[in-house]
Amino acid sequence: YIHDRLYEVCNTETASTICALVLNDKSGFDSDTISAFNALGLAHAMAVSGMHVAIICSALFSFLTLLKVKPRVRSIICIITVLIYLCAVGFAYSAVRSGVMIIIILSASIARRNADPLNSLGFACAMLTIINPFAVIDTGFLLSVPATLGMILMLSPMFRFSMKLFSKFGRFKKVASAVLTPFLQSICAIIFTLPVIFATFGTLSVISPLMNIICAPLFYIVICCGVLLIITLPLPLIPNF
């Protein structure tokens, strides 16, 4: 229903992009488009991964925070949303890994406990490989785990160091923080996934780091807007665009 309805209300290019970036359906892309993504080092964007789950969950969490929803209620709503999204993308390994991590962290906040990110990542990986040992050869899983590990280990120290450089700018610190976060997340993920990308695909795009940094905010916007569109698809007032 979602696939057919998207192609009803959107033009072919828009529907294909939303299906690829949000629903893990690349059938609307021709070989030239896929080759272009690969050449730019952006192929991972078309494979639903932890990035997609994290973007959707963080956007929803921020929105609920603005609405001043109670912390426990926020966490419960986010957990339900993650489970629904995992169902929608067919429980892709990399998405499940991220989903399990997020559910553990949110469950800890509901119980007013602190969840350790490394332990959460290890538990998620162990659970997935116990259920299906062949998950270790899934490309999405191989890219998702190092990317997450890189952000866990490197994001905080890199962020603290970067913010020291902006300490003299006073009121611009919040703006710098908002801009630096996705930038540094991309850097951390890229550093830890480069060996996997080279070993898996046999090639390494020279401009991949730069393109990922530039496109990370765009992916965030497209994925969030795509999810909003999918949620409103049942409404009869959605115009074609």
Side-chain angles (χ1 to χ4, degrees):
Y1 168 79
I2 295 175
H3 182 276
D4 294 338
R5 183 76 174 124
L6 277 173
Y7 277 87
E8 286 179 9
V9 302
C10 304
N11 59 48
T12 303
E13 291 78 9
T14 303
S16 299
T17 302
I18 293 174
C19 286
L21 294 183
V22 180
L23 298 177
N24 200 29
D25 179 6
K26 298 182 283 293
S27 60
F29 281 166
D30 56 29
S31 58
D32 290 338
T33 303
I34 295 175
S35 297
F37 270 83
N38 291 334
L40 293 173
L42 299 174
H44 62 86
M46 296 187 294
V48 169
S49 63
M51 176 187 75
H52 298 71
V53 181
I55 286 174
I56 293 169
C57 188
S58 63
L60 177 61
F61 196 88
S62 299
F63 177 70
L64 294 174
T65 302
L66 289 175
L67 295 180
K68 297 183 179 180
V69 177
K70 293 182 179 180
R72 286 189 174 184
V73 177
R74 284 201 305 262
S75 298
I76 293 171
I77 293 174
C78 287
I79 288 174
I80 294 172
T81 302
V82 168
L83 292 174
I84 293 173
Y85 183 68
L86 292 179
C87 291
V89 298
F91 291 96
Y93 292 129
S94 52
V96 171
R97 190 275 313 153
S98 178
V100 170
M101 280 192 66
I102 291 172
I103 289 172
I104 291 173
I105 293 171
L106 292 175
S107 298
S109 68
I110 293 173
R112 295 179 179 175
R113 299 291 180 92
N114 292 324
D116 181 75
L118 281 175
N119 287 342
S120 300
L121 176 61
F123 177 81
C125 293
M127 188 186 74
L128 287 173
T129 51
I130 289 172
I131 294 174
N132 183 4
F134 292 102
V136 297
I137 61 174
D138 179 76
T139 303
F141 182 84
L142 291 174
L143 289 172
S144 178
V145 174
T148 305
L149 181 63
M151 287 186 279
I152 291 174
L153 297 178
M154 294 181 61
L155 183 58
S156 292
M158 288 179 66
F159 182 80
R160 286 195 298 269
F161 175 78
S162 300
M163 289 308 295
K164 286 180 180 179
L165 302 178
F166 290 91
S167 59
K168 297 180 181 179
F169 293 91
R171 56 183 177 180
F172 294 106
K173 287 181 67 175
K174 289 186 177 180
V175 177
S177 175
V179 173
L180 280 173
T181 299
F183 176 83
L184 294 176
Q185 285 175 340
S186 298
I187 292 294
C188 296
I190 290 167
I191 290 173
F192 274 67
T193 55
L194 282 178
V196 179
I197 292 172
F198 184 75
T200 303
F201 300 106
T203 58
L204 192 61
S205 174
V206 177
I207 61 173
S208 175
L210 177 62
M211 292 306 301
N212 276 273
I213 292 166
I214 294 173
C215 293
L218 300 178
F219 287 147
Y220 187 97
I221 294 170
V222 172
I223 291 172
C224 290
C225 291
V227 171
L228 286 175
L229 177 60
I230 291 172
I231 292 172
T232 56
L233 282 178
L235 301 178
L237 300 178
I238 300 298
N240 289 6
F241 63 95

